[in-house]
Amino acid sequence: MAAASERKVLEEIGEDFLCCTICLEQFKSPKILPCLHTFCEQCLVTLVEKTGSLNCPECRQHYQLPVGGVPAIKGNFFMSNLIEIFKKQLESMQGREIKCEACQENTATHRCVECKYYLCNICLKAHRNLPLTRKHQLMTIGEYETAKLTSPVTLRAVEYCNIHDQNEVKFYCETCQVPVCTNCTIVKHRIPEHVHRDLKDAADEYLTELKAMVDKLKVKEQEAEKNKTLAKQIHTDLTEQCSREERKVRMKAQEIIKKIKREEQRLIDELKNNYKMKIKRAAADIDEMELKHGNIKSAGNYIETLMHHGNAAQLLSTKGDVGTRIKQLITMETTAKAEQEEVIFTPNDVKFCEHGILGILKSDVCISKCTVENIPKQLLKGDSADLLITTRDSTGKQVIPKQQVKAKVRKPDASWEDINVVDNRDGTHRVRVAGQLDGKYQVTMTIGDQPIPGCPVIIPVIKGLVKTIGSQGSAEGQYNHPRVWP
């Protein structure tokens, strides 16, 4: 019966939960950081000596070392208690004899629930006779093993004050947010400056609050997992799209392989280069979502284990850190940043021998990165100007757009006219504006029905010279030997 109980506890907690992720061994003097990640004291000392700062190896959060260094970091007494339980359970499961923890010589026959010690018959008598321990709850090992199955709550050890080590912790100081004993309420936590509550009542109330926060944390974990899956799907889709477009390029190249090999390779290299950055960004999203999801999940696992297996003092000793960490995780951004931007190969409709190219690679454009250049301040009536549209993707790279580029002009007589857009097949387009009437021309240019920043462009058209000054000659007000500079 006892072996079954041990196995159940081991399965619930798991040995990995009790291992430091730095040294990969069972915790020694465990220290807990505000992010709820626990490490061996010596592992943190080595880490700080090596890096010169304290950054959590799990979630990479930076913390200021307290006065006193790593040893002054809060100890994880809950974890230490679990390790002791784990060791005893493991010894019992392996059939090893349990030694008395007082004399370290005789076989243990009893266990003190308050002290958490196994005692032999000789040490048991001394334990019963000492004034400080005579009222402690003592059980035979058989009774203790049975109680673990039938009523594990009764086996929770009494917690003693860190300052008054012979006094049981019975109160919770809400002012200082620490469990205290009766002496503490008289010395350092006196009324009315400090507000006290019964330890169990405070723990029960906090447990209710903690359950509600854990429920929200689980929702956040599901959201993070969903976005992590989305990031992976984007990564997969981009990879598949790249492969699909590469196959299209190769199919076209095989038709006239001898003449197009060099062009084929150029297009493939350009295609892979385009997708390389997009896939890299998608992969970075996966890494970020993996890290955030892992932080949320590990915090949730730790808190749930603390809720299920920790006593009131252990539960409340981390109240501030747990609440802060849960709020951090719940408000953490878990939306994937990568966008599914495609690069599509469009084959050339005419014969290869006429133009020497297989086709072109067209990409999604970022409208905010596109520009219009060569805009004249004004035009003489009858003249024309060529505006230059440059299309770019989200990284600012000049690309050939998948979307259609259009332009139209509103003339001074309020009539509208579509303008022919010449595609230069290099990520630029030419729009010719002819000044047929004097007045203001409004030119609107769109990519995929979205206006390019800065549109509409206003171009004034004038009849001729604005003003004539002087004339050729030697009289006053006239020019003597005027020259035209090239």
Side-chain angles (χ1 to χ4, degrees):
M1 181 184 293
S5 171
E6 275 72 290
R7 281 194 296 270
K8 183 178 179 182
V9 174
L10 289 175
E11 288 172 1
E12 284 182 0
I13 298 177
E15 191 171 0
D16 288 345
F17 186 77
L18 305 176
C19 290
C20 173
T21 55
I22 297 177
C23 64
L24 303 180
E25 295 180 1
Q26 201 168 79
F27 289 113
K28 301 177 187 67
S29 300
K31 296 289 185 179
I32 185 168
L33 299 178
C35 57
L36 307 186
H37 291 130
T38 301
F39 306 96
C40 300
E41 180 179 327
Q42 186 55 47
C43 290
L44 289 178
V45 170
T46 305
L47 180 68
V48 171
E49 289 176 351
K50 185 177 180 180
T51 63
S53 61
L54 178 58
N55 296 298
C56 176
E58 288 280 347
C59 63
R60 306 171 193 171
Q61 264 190 261
H62 175 74
Y63 297 107
Q64 188 72 34
L65 269 175
V67 177
V70 172
I73 297 173
K74 186 183 296 183
N76 193 335
F77 303 110
F78 169 63
M79 190 68 73
S80 298
N81 188 50
L82 282 181
I83 291 171
E84 288 301 316
I85 294 172
F86 183 86
K87 287 179 179 177
K88 295 301 178 185
Q89 289 174 342
L90 195 59
E91 289 177 1
S92 177
M93 289 175 63
Q94 293 173 348
R96 279 199 261 170
E97 181 184 80
I98 300 176
K99 290 287 186 182
C100 174
E101 293 180 291
C103 66
Q104 298 293 326
E105 294 179 359
N106 301 321
T107 302
T109 58
H110 289 71
R111 180 176 174 87
C112 177
V113 176
E114 277 80 6
C115 297
K116 299 180 281 187
Y117 281 173
Y118 284 98
L119 304 169
C120 66
N121 287 329
I122 297 173
C123 295
L124 178 68
K125 291 179 182 179
H127 199 77
R128 283 174 171 163
N129 291 331
L130 287 172
L132 294 175
T133 58
R134 65 176 53 168
K135 292 184 179 181
H136 286 193
Q137 182 184 3
L138 296 165
M139 291 183 172
T140 65
I141 292 179
E143 290 171 342
Y144 179 73
E145 299 296 341
T146 303
K148 282 197 295 186
L149 285 174
T150 58
S151 183
V153 175
T154 62
L155 299 180
R156 289 189 176 177
V158 173
E159 290 293 327
Y160 292 94
C161 181
N162 292 332
I163 301 172
H164 311 98
D165 54 8
Q166 301 299 323
N167 290 351
E168 180 183 344
V169 172
K170 292 184 177 181
F171 301 97
Y172 178 67
C173 177
E174 289 194 334
T175 307
C176 302
Q177 295 190 340
V178 291
V180 294
C181 69
T182 305
N183 283 8
C184 288
T185 63
I186 300 172
V187 183
K188 288 189 175 182
H189 301 269
R190 289 184 296 183
I191 298 174
E193 291 85 0
H194 295 254
V195 179
H196 308 144
R197 291 189 61 191
D198 178 77
L199 185 69
K200 186 178 184 306
D201 291 344
D204 289 342
E205 181 180 314
Y206 176 55
L207 191 60
T208 301
E209 296 174 4
L210 198 56
K211 285 178 180 177
M213 288 191 286
V214 168
D215 288 339
K216 293 180 180 180
L217 193 62
K218 286 180 179 178
V219 173
K220 194 66 176 180
E221 180 189 343
Q222 293 172 357
E223 179 186 326
E225 185 174 14
K226 180 180 177 182
N227 280 285
K228 181 180 71 173
T229 302
L230 176 61
K232 286 183 176 180
Q233 186 60 50
I234 291 175
H235 180 271
T236 300
D237 289 346
L238 286 169
T239 305
E240 290 176 353
Q241 288 163 7
C242 179
S243 299
R244 186 165 54 249
E245 298 308 313
E246 181 178 340
R247 287 195 298 272
K248 288 167 63 176
V249 172
R250 293 190 184 279
M251 287 176 60
K252 184 67 178 179
Q254 288 169 2
E255 297 175 5
I256 42 176
I257 192 66
K258 291 183 180 180
K259 296 182 180 180
I260 65 172
K261 198 63 180 177
R262 185 179 299 173
E263 178 66 8
E264 176 195 17
Q265 194 59 53
R266 184 189 70 81
L267 286 169
I268 291 172
D269 290 345
E270 185 179 344
L271 179 67
K272 287 184 175 180
N273 186 55
N274 273 285
Y275 270 99
K276 181 179 180 180
M277 295 305 297
K278 301 177 192 301
I279 294 172
K280 186 176 180 181
R281 290 198 299 271
D285 254 0
I286 293 175
D287 289 343
E288 185 177 350
M289 289 300 108
E290 288 279 8
L291 176 63
K292 290 181 178 179
H293 177 255
N295 289 340
I296 294 170
K297 190 171 183 179
S298 66
N301 288 343
Y302 176 81
I303 295 169
E304 288 187 340
T305 306
L306 177 63
M307 290 163 55
H308 295 155
H309 300 284
N311 59 33
Q314 293 166 347
L315 193 66
L316 289 166
S317 65
T318 59
K319 179 179 178 181
D321 290 340
V322 169
T324 300
R325 182 57 173 165
I326 289 178
K327 289 176 183 177
Q328 287 177 348
L329 294 173
I330 289 174
T331 57
M332 183 170 59
E333 179 60 50
T334 54
T335 304
K337 300 175 183 176
E339 296 179 357
Q340 197 161 334
E341 298 177 346
E342 295 181 341
V343 179
I344 301 297
F345 170 70
T346 303
N348 196 358
D349 294 332
V350 296
K351 294 180 180 180
F352 175 80
C353 58
E354 294 180 13
H355 294 84
I357 57 173
L358 290 171
I360 54 176
L361 298 176
K362 294 185 177 182
S363 304
D364 289 313
V365 299
C366 178
I367 195 71
S368 63
K369 302 285 186 179
C370 299
T371 57
V372 180
E373 299 169 87
N374 297 344
I375 304 171
K377 292 183 178 180
Q378 63 183 20
L379 277 178
L380 288 176
K381 183 178 179 180
D383 286 352
S384 60
D386 289 336
L387 309 184
L388 185 67
I389 300 172
T390 303
T391 51
R392 300 181 178 88
D393 62 14
S394 58
T395 65
K397 180 183 176 182
Q398 189 170 311
V399 294
I400 299 174
K402 286 168 49 182
Q403 298 86 348
Q404 189 176 5
V405 180
K406 298 180 180 179
K408 59 181 180 179
V409 62
R410 187 177 189 271
K411 297 180 179 180
D413 60 2
S415 64
W416 285 92
E417 180 178 280
D418 292 331
I419 306 176
N420 182 47
V421 178
V422 179
D423 186 357
N424 297 324
R425 292 181 174 268
D426 61 355
T428 62
H429 295 72
R430 182 167 54 84
V431 177
R432 174 160 292 183
V433 179
Q436 300 168 341
L437 304 173
D438 56 295
K440 291 183 179 180
Y441 279 65
Q442 295 184 25
V443 185
T444 300
M445 290 157 281
T446 59
I447 302 174
D449 296 327
Q450 294 187 63
I452 301 173
C455 288
V457 172
I458 308 298
I459 302 176
V461 176
I462 60 176
K463 293 181 180 179
L465 297 175
V466 177
K467 188 176 182 181
T468 301
I469 301 176
S471 60
Q472 184 175 353
S474 58
E476 185 177 353
Q478 296 181 339
Y479 294 113
N480 187 18
H481 304 299
R483 288 186 293 171
V484 178
W485 290 91

